[in-house]
Amino acid sequence: MKTIQLNNGIVIPTPGLGTYRLGRNDREVIHAVRNALDAGYRHIDTASFYDNEYPIGKAIAESRVPREELFVTTKLWGTDILKNGIEQAFEESMLKLDIGYIDLYLVHWPVTGQVAATWRKMEQIYESGRVRAIGVSNHLTHHLEELLSVAAVVPAVNQVELHPYLVMQGLQDYCREKDIVVESWSPLGSSKIPLLADPLLLEIGQRHSRSTAQVILRWNLQKGLLPLPKSSDAKRQKENIALFDFSLSGEEISLIDRLDKGERTGVHPDEIEF
Ligand code: A2P
């Protein structure tokens, strides 16, 4: 597993395992995470909203992979910002995961009117030493500008929906300029976005004797993005990290960039409601 250095000096393994709807129950989540850890994944991405922090913590404990080899991200949900309290939500995630500390804590979605105040609370949690880095998710450039206008700590990461049909090059460039690593959620598209059947991606895959998924994930790595493919299948989990023995040409990267059509599988960050 390769790593990327975050803006506070800590390193994060890439790719990571996405875990939204990883299993239908705790047993399936534990099974999928154990398989991933056995396959070599060292970065697990969850969120309080996914309701799987408890089984993920269990899988980690059962795996006996040393804690310091692992990188675990979880996220703060919008209703916790508006109603239940940020500190309390963080404590709950800590309890459910039960892994001693959280590597990366993210604001899951920008909450209108709360971006700056939320970030100040995140900075307090960071200063308390219970997380190794803090960042955001689903923040567009204007959300980041609002946040950075009050920030003492620059977010280490911005995790957004990103794939060849939603490239968001402007946001990528802005984040690079601010030293914020961009993570891609749903990097392989979804049933709504049939990316894996795209003819250009299939053709590039054939050229390299790789799957379409591997082409997309390799495109992420070569663009400096950190992809978070989700798979509960042991074979596909292995496929999604077998990315380090081939590379795409500059021309192939540009061709993939040009597939962009601003198509989303999830909600637009300006339209999320809590
Ligand atoms: P599976 O878990 O059965 O492998 P998401 O949009 O939440 O990230 O979901 C990714 C989807 O892509 C899941 O349905 C997952 O199904 C599927 N998937 C993951 N890796 C691969 C792969 N290498 N090839 C084909 N499908 C994949």
Side-chain angles (χ1 to χ4, degrees), residues 20 186 188-190 196 213 230-233 236 239-240:
Y20 185 43
S186 273
L188 305 178
S190 65
L196 295 178
K230 174 235 135 186
S231 178
S232 39
D233 175 80
R236 288 191 285 277
E239 179 183 326
N240 293 347

Side-chain angles (χ1 to χ4, degrees), residues 116-127:
T118 303
W119 191 248
R120 279 193 221 100
K121 291 264 173 51
M122 294 289 284
E123 289 178 333
Q124 284 165 15
I125 291 173
Y126 180 52
E127 279 152 21

